[in-house]
């Protein structure tokens, strides 16, 4: 897990940077930021201190600024949220107008804004998914999808409550979503894990070499699970931390198998949706249609909002008043999302992600060859990529190396968030980025990798 000690806490001299997109003029962390960092350390739980010690003061387009004259080119999208860019004027205006109206809250009482957004979201979902339930966080959306699966399963038979998900998956931090996740060390606190939640290997083709659907069936069999016990299968469309996709053939077989056994297929698009991978939904790469979609993050490019989209019969399982949330369709996030959807559409950001993504991945493939003994592989599609750092010439994750590369990029004015997979440097610029910015970011990664690896060699010598 992220640990503050991965980043220097005391200001250190770093080379000054001054380009069109990056500016580093102070020591890092900026001396002026220390009292704020200290206050956060004092009043927040330790768990919140995992990111590089940079105080975000404002963020616009593809740039993040602190209050001491530094500017970063953003390759984080603030954990894959700001697909349409940071602080877009159109989104700001929508929020300000709504705040001035004012309509700041309306609980589940109907609103025109909620009517418009649910219609818009259903229209961008695949045919057959006719309902949209708005929530606030991604964890709530996946939690809700689990609940819907289990309720649906029980309409078929009392024992049909099982959830299948994938090893390595992250679906959120609430109890159900965390149990459905596939990262054991995050689940220790639960102790009494639900005995009807099982995980199977995610066929990423690198760590898990067997990408056949037979492997999936064999894993269920080994765990003594029968299809009639299963209510739902949930997977991230690409596995988040690693940006890894399964083969399309695997997903197509999974989808057909789910249909055969009346099992709901849930795609967790919290991170992958809204154009990130060069398709509006990442599951489109597989040519499958899920029964439920859980999404969030890029849905608004800003304020907290998430939703579950799904089949009418599944989404209508609960009577009036029994599947709601205090902030369902909270007006400010809703209008932010509407403005965001306009931008994604008007600026054709999905297509842009596909186009620039192929440039990004071509260049990253060259870096992988150049640094192949430490950069095991690069996964991702469109404007998301993960660089998997490994121990010298061994297929073994090197978490420390990933942190060092991220820290060096921060020093150089390229904003990345801390490694979230085992050992990955995750790349996810806003989809409005341009070729010039991409090439500059790639050069920074190249320099950072080169320097960090050279230093490692010198330390050994
Ligand atoms: N699912 C996926 C695939 C995610 O990446 C995340 C967040 N990283 C979540 C669910 C949980 O979302 P939230 O943090 O908004 O609860």
């Amino acid at each position: 897990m992220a640990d503050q000690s991965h980043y220097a806490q005391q200001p250190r001299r770093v080379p000054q940077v001054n380009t069109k997109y990056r500016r580093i003029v102070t020591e890092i962390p900026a001396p002026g930021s220390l009292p704020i960092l200290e206050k956060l350390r004092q009043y927040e739980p330790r768990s919140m201190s995992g990111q590089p010690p940079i105080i975000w003061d404002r963020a616009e387009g593809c740039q993040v600024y602190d209050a001491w004259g530094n500017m970063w080119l953003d390759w984080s999208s603030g954990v894959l949220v700001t697909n349409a860019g940071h602080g877009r004027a159109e989104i700001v205006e929508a929020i300000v107008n709504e705040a001035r109206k004012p309509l700041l809250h309306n609980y589940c009482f109907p609103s025109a804004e909620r009517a418009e957004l649910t219609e818009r979201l259903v229209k961008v979902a695949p045919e057959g998914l006719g309902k949209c339930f708005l929530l606030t966080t991604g964890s709530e959306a996946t939690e809700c999808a689990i609940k819907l699966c289990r309720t649906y399963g029980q309409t078929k038979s009392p024992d049909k409550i099982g959830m299948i998900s994938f090893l390595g998956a992250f679906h959120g931090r609430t109890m159900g979503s965390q149990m459905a996740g596939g990262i054991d060390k995050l689940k220790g606190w639960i102790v009494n894990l639900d005995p009807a939640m099982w995980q199977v290997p995610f066929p990423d083709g690198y760590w898990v070499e067997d990408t056949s659907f037979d492997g999936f069936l064999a894993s269920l069999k080994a765990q003594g699970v029968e299809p009639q016990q299963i209510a739902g299968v949930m997977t991230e469309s690409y596995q988040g931390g690693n940006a890894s996709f399964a083969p399309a053939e695997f997903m197509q077989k999974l989808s057909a198998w789910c249909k055969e056994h009346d099992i709901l297929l849930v795609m967790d698009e919290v991170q992958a949706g809204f154009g990130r991978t060069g398709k509006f939904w990442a599951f489109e790469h597989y040519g499958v249609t899920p029964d439920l979609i859980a999404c969030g993050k890029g849905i608004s490019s800003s304020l907290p909002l998430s939703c579950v989209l799904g089949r009418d019969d599944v989404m209508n399982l609960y009577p009036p008043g029994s599947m709601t949330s205090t902030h369902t369709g909270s007006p400010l996030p809703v209008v932010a999302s509407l403005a965001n959807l306009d931008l994604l559409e008007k600026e054709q950001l999905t297509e842009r992600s596909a186009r620039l993504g192929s440039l990004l991945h071509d260049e990253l493939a060259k870096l992988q060859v150049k640094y192949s003994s430490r950069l095991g592989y690069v996964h991702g599609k469109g404007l998301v990529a993960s660089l998997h750092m490994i121990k010298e010439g061994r297929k073994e994750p090197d978490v420390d190396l990933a942190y060092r590369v991220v820290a060096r990029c921060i020093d150089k004015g390229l904003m990345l968030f801390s490694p979230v997979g085992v050992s990955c440097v995750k790349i996810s610029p806003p989809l409005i980025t341009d070729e010039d910015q991409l090439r500059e970011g790639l050069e920074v990664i190249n320099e950072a990798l080169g320097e960090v690896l050279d230093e490692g060699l010198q330390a050994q010598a």
Side-chain angles (χ1 to χ4, degrees), residues 89-249:
E90 294 83 346
I91 297 178
V92 172
E93 197 187 331
I95 295 170
V96 168
N97 287 343
E98 189 73 6
R100 289 238 163 86
K101 212 176 167 189
L103 184 67
L104 298 186
H105 176 70
N106 59 303
Y107 176 47
C108 301
F109 294 98
S111 74
E113 291 85 340
R114 205 168 81 225
E116 195 181 340
L117 183 61
T118 49
E119 180 188 29
R120 282 287 287 277
L121 289 169
V122 164
K123 287 197 167 147
V124 293
E127 229 182 284
L129 308 196
K131 296 277 182 189
C132 169
F133 176 45
L134 295 170
L135 284 155
T136 308
T137 69
S139 304
E140 285 177 299
T142 54
E143 187 85 31
C144 176
I146 294 167
K147 189 168 156 182
L148 285 165
C149 288
R150 282 177 87 127
T151 308
Y152 176 80
Q154 287 171 77
T155 65
K156 307 293 165 185
S157 115
D159 301 332
K160 200 172 171 62
I161 58 166
M163 281 305 295
I164 304 297
S165 50
F166 288 85
L167 291 168
F170 184 82
H171 295 296
R173 296 204 192 274
T174 56
M175 196 156 179
S177 65
Q178 195 126 69
M179 270 196 284
I183 306 171
D184 279 349
K185 67 180 180 201
L186 300 181
K187 300 201 262 188
W189 64 277
I190 301 173
V191 184
N192 297 312
L193 292 172
D194 189 304
M197 284 181 156
W198 297 279
Q199 277 87 52
V200 297
F202 184 83
D204 70 358
Y206 184 76
W207 299 109
V208 176
E209 286 172 5
D210 178 4
T211 59
S212 72
F213 188 64
D214 286 345
F216 173 90
L217 295 176
S219 173
L220 289 187
K221 195 159 178 221
Q223 298 182 71
V225 191
E226 298 292 337
Q228 58 272 20
Q229 296 172 271
I230 306 169
V233 174
M234 178 157 76
T235 181
E236 295 164 277
S237 307
Y238 69 77
Q239 205 163 60
N242 303 331
S244 304
F245 283 75
E249 194 190 344

